[in-house]
Amino acid sequence: MIARRLLLGATLSAPAVARAQGIWPTRPVRVVVPFPPGGSNDVMARPLAERLQARFGQPFVVENRGGASGSIGATAVAQAPADGHTLMVTSSSFATSAVLQKTTWDAERSFDAIGILARAPYYLLTNPDFPPRDVESLVAWARARPGAVDYGSSGTGGLNHVVSEYFCQAAGIRMTHVPYKGTAQAVTDLMAGTIQLVITTVASANSPIREGRVRIIAAAAPGGTLPPGVPAPRTVREQGVDYEADIWWGLLAPKNLPAPVRRAIHAAVTEALADPALRRIYEAEGAVPSPGPYDEFAAVLRADMDRWRKVAEAANIRIE
């Protein structure tokens, strides 16, 4: 999936970017990251903002507005003028928040989806002492012991909670959810053997993966990058379960952005994502730049919301 989308994101010509500069930006641009500093959304936003600032000579100021699983920052962006000078870098968690939380904004009615910045697969990580070493043996183990496999997540209703329940549904198994206050705590308990499974990204478990303190038994989707020396595993689908899940990072703006401005932003971002230095930064997080066609992101967001809504309903996932 990831590799295929990369082919869609050809670098725009210099004349196209020159036209973009005449339309946008005309003053400093605020780039809202609706999470605290230091997370993967920050990693995606800051080097992109640096390249856009260098390209256009206008300040691109990254502003962290964390809280309420990204909802506080999203509210600020939804209420901003739709002129292209307030943008938001967020991730797939935006889709799960949209369907599981009560928010003051609507994912499709309050925002224009500008473009996907990068994508990365999830990985099924187990404790090295856990007997199953591939998807087939994990499924057999879980079926023989319903509810005995404990999996960790960043919290109830979090993206890797929903992704994990999606795996349970696809595999026809039942595991026990153990919510944590963040993925880092879940990975720590995975290494200690307190839980047996975590489905997460390289960005959330880079050192444990690199040092062999967790075992990768499958990739949830093709593509992405792993730390040097870590062999690429087979995907879940290649191991017999019809399941695929990855994470995207994308750029949104307040709804009703004028079409010429939207196209100008898309053109400039596509050019920036072609920078090899930026690619290396993203790859260090296990992700690959994935600029796509002009209207692709809106369709991806809509499909994700539909999928996660069905998964949450089937698993009775609720956020009070």
Side-chain angles (χ1 to χ4, degrees):
M1 178 186 292
I2 298 171
R4 177 174 59 83
R5 285 196 172 92
L6 276 172
L7 297 175
L8 299 174
T11 304
L12 295 193
S13 66
V17 178
R19 290 195 297 271
Q21 190 168 11
I23 297 171
W24 169 94
T26 58
R27 61 179 186 275
V29 177
R30 179 172 63 142
V31 182
V32 175
V33 174
F35 299 98
S40 65
N41 295 276
D42 240 20
V43 172
M44 300 296 155
R46 292 185 182 277
L48 176 65
E50 289 171 3
R51 282 152 181 80
L52 293 174
Q53 179 168 305
R55 175 67 183 83
F56 292 107
Q58 290 281 3
F60 279 72
V61 181
V62 176
E63 178 183 322
N64 293 94
R65 295 286 297 272
S69 299
S71 187
I72 291 175
T75 297
V77 174
Q79 295 174 348
D83 57 12
H85 293 88
T86 298
L87 305 172
M88 179 170 70
V89 172
T90 189
S91 66
S92 297
S93 60
F94 178 77
T96 54
S97 294
V99 300
L100 292 176
Q101 289 184 259
K102 293 181 179 179
T103 65
T104 59
W105 46 266
D106 180 277
E108 295 185 274
R109 296 175 183 173
S110 303
F111 300 93
D112 280 330
I114 304 299
I116 295 174
L117 303 179
R119 301 186 79 115
Y122 282 95
Y123 292 93
L124 277 65
L125 309 181
T126 64
N127 179 277
D129 294 330
F130 186 47
R133 292 176 175 266
D134 54 28
V135 171
E136 182 180 8
S137 57
L138 170 62
V139 171
W141 180 281
R143 284 179 178 167
R145 305 164 180 80
V149 177
D150 294 332
Y151 75 87
S153 81
S154 59
T156 300
L159 186 56
N160 55 353
H161 178 201
V162 177
V163 166
S164 299
E165 283 299 326
Y166 181 39
F167 173 73
C168 290
Q169 293 169 20
I173 60 175
R174 179 166 61 85
M175 300 190 294
T176 298
H177 176 223
V178 182
Y180 290 84
K181 293 181 179 180
T183 306
Q185 293 181 12
V187 173
T188 296
D189 269 10
L190 179 68
M191 291 186 289
T194 305
I195 57 176
Q196 291 78 49
L197 176 73
V198 172
I199 300 180
T200 190
T201 61
V202 166
S204 296
N206 198 307
S207 293
I209 291 172
R210 186 178 62 251
E211 297 165 5
R213 290 182 288 164
V214 297
R215 175 186 293 127
I216 301 177
I217 64 169
T225 60
L226 286 163
V230 178
R234 291 183 297 157
T235 66
V236 174
R237 185 164 287 161
E238 288 170 340
Q239 297 186 54
V241 175
D242 186 15
Y243 167 85
E244 185 170 298
D246 66 358
I247 182 173
W248 49 255
W249 292 267
L251 188 69
L252 294 101
K255 192 66 175 180
N256 297 320
L257 199 63
V261 174
R262 184 178 174 187
R263 290 188 181 276
I265 299 172
H266 183 270
V269 168
T270 299
E271 182 196 46
L273 292 174
D275 180 2
L278 182 63
R279 182 183 185 90
R280 288 192 292 272
I281 293 171
Y282 284 7
E283 286 180 345
E285 296 294 308
V288 290
S290 299
Y294 177 64
D295 291 326
E296 180 192 33
F297 187 18
V300 170
L301 177 57
R302 191 177 305 112
D304 264 15
M305 289 172 59
D306 289 343
R307 175 170 57 165
W308 301 138
R309 183 181 291 109
K310 293 173 183 176
V311 169
E313 289 174 353
N316 196 32
I317 299 174
R318 298 177 181 177
I319 299 178
E320 301 299 333

